[in-house]
Amino acid sequence: MIRNVLGSLMGLIGATAAVWSPFRAWYDGRHGRDYRIQDLFTPTGVTGHGSTLLLSLFLPCLIAALLTVAAVLRRSRLLMALAGVVVLGFAVLWMVRQGQAAGSLTVGSDGKGLGDGVASAFGAGALILLGAAVMRGRPRRRTRALPPTTTAPEPTPGGPTTPPDEPRPPHPQQDHT
């Protein structure tokens, strides 16, 4: 039970960080909510066009947070791991597309380059995955074992009519000539 509580808490903290990450700077001071999701899947890559909130990088983070909440309610390790993979997958995909558009990725403390929003997304995805690993999940249902029977099984229709303890008569050889 303690493992489920700790894993759930880690997952919910990660989901909160994932939802918060698009509201922080991702690259060159530009927030994650300013990047369109469709830019990640087009040949042109990341563009300078703005985006609405629900069509930005906020959407996969919100979906991952909802998956995390569902995983906590259902005590599902698989669902929580899927939420972590969604956050990490979109963050990696964004980094690849941003690197293609900019020619390279830089890290700088002066507000240029990768920002703390993308770091929050990576940390959130890792924390959600760690929460899934810590969780024990639902207890498995145990089936009740039936007591062993002492009587011989009943013959099945079309099956052998001799009891299993008695030897069977040999089959007659058929001549196929």
Side-chain angles (χ1 to χ4, degrees), residues 3-4 7 10 76-78 80-81 126-137:
R3 287 180 62 182
N4 279 338
M10 291 167 73
S76 171
R77 294 175 70 188
L78 183 65
M80 189 173 290
L127 194 58
I128 293 170
L129 283 176
L130 188 61
V134 168
M135 278 181 72
R136 184 170 243 185

Side-chain angles (χ1 to χ4, degrees), residues 45-134:
V46 176
T47 62
H49 300 297
S51 178
T52 61
L53 182 64
L54 287 178
L55 296 177
S56 68
L57 289 174
F58 175 72
L59 182 62
C61 292
L62 179 65
I63 289 171
L66 293 175
L67 284 173
T68 303
V69 170
V72 167
L73 293 176
R74 296 181 49 91
R75 289 186 288 174
S76 171
R77 294 175 70 188
L78 183 65
L79 205 55
M80 189 173 290
L82 177 66
V85 168
V86 166
V87 173
L88 285 175
F90 273 93
V92 167
L93 181 61
W94 172 84
M95 282 185 74
V96 168
R97 300 303 283 172
Q98 179 64 40
Q100 288 174 342
S104 68
L105 291 176
T106 60
V107 177
S109 62
D110 59 351
K112 300 290 184 192
L114 292 174
D116 55 352
V118 72
S120 294
F122 274 106
L127 194 58
I128 293 170
L129 283 176
L130 188 61
V134 168

Side-chain angles (χ1 to χ4, degrees), residues 24-32 34-35 110-115:
R24 302 179 77 181
W26 278 52
Y27 197 74
D28 284 341
R30 191 173 170 199
H31 291 183
D34 296 332
Y35 292 100
D110 59 351
K112 300 290 184 192
L114 292 174

